[in-house]
Amino acid sequence: MSLDQEGFDGSHPVVDQELVDAAIELCRSRFPGQDWSGAAALRLDNGAILTSVAPEVPNGAVRLCHETGAICEAFKLGRRVVASACVTLADEGRGFWVLAPCGVCQERLLAYGPDVAVAVPQGPDPREWRSLRLRDVQPHWFGRVFPEENWPLT
Ligand SMILES: [Zn+2]
């Protein structure tokens, strides 16, 4: 994949190694030595990267996803999200695994349209990843019945 501009392949945003590395770096700096951790990184339309982690809570039913904080920050800044990557470290020996966004985060990211790029595992090894657009991750998303000029939501 050749990138003519950081995080873009032609006119479409893509997840690049810098974005995945930002999530990994946050895991390492925020949870040093911890067996289980995770983090997310989002690229904005101005090229900036936002990162976030999911807070620990006593009731697992109210947990947030790693992406949530960065999605809220992007909205606060009035910027459009163009790419997202989420990683987890289940065991230092196995390395960082890329996680596709959960269904809820797909809905949150789809507010920025079906061309938002997300990192998904590539093949059976979740340390390997590739960039897909949300339209390809969720081709039958309910919002696709509406004209694409409605996206992103403003
Ligand atoms: Zn999620």
Side-chain angles (χ1 to χ4, degrees):
M1 175 180 328
S2 86
L3 304 177
D4 58 3
Q5 181 184 344
E6 193 170 88
F8 285 82
D9 176 16
S11 61
H12 297 294
V14 295
V15 175
D16 58 13
Q17 190 64 52
E18 181 185 30
L19 194 64
V20 174
D21 287 347
I24 290 172
E25 178 53 36
L26 179 56
C27 278
R28 289 188 169 135
S29 63
R30 176 63 181 83
F31 307 108
Q34 189 167 310
D35 288 341
W36 182 268
S37 65
L42 270 57
R43 181 156 327 260
L44 306 181
D45 58 342
N46 65 354
I49 292 177
L50 300 176
T51 59
S52 58
V53 294
E56 294 292 333
V57 294
N59 180 349
V62 300
R63 290 191 68 135
L64 297 170
C65 296
H66 296 302
E67 295 95 325
T68 309
I71 290 171
C72 291
E73 184 72 11
F75 189 76
K76 184 184 89 178
L77 295 171
R79 303 304 316 194
R80 189 167 56 91
V81 176
V82 299
S84 176
C86 183
V87 302
T88 188
L89 180 68
D91 175 338
E92 186 68 50
R94 289 190 294 190
F96 285 91
W97 293 358
V98 166
L99 302 177
C102 77
V104 173
C105 285
Q106 288 179 41
E107 292 296 329
R108 292 169 176 154
L109 292 168
L110 277 160
Y112 299 100
D115 287 328
V116 172
V118 296
V120 300
Q122 166 94 35
D125 183 350
R127 292 173 299 184
E128 302 292 322
W129 59 272
R130 65 181 174 143
S131 180
L132 281 182
R133 292 186 290 166
L134 282 173
R135 71 174 65 245
D136 300 317
V137 173
Q138 199 178 142
H140 303 286
W141 178 57
F142 79 93
R144 297 292 300 279
V145 300
F146 301 106
E148 295 222 352
E149 60 265 20
N150 290 343
W151 313 105
L153 296 176
T154 53

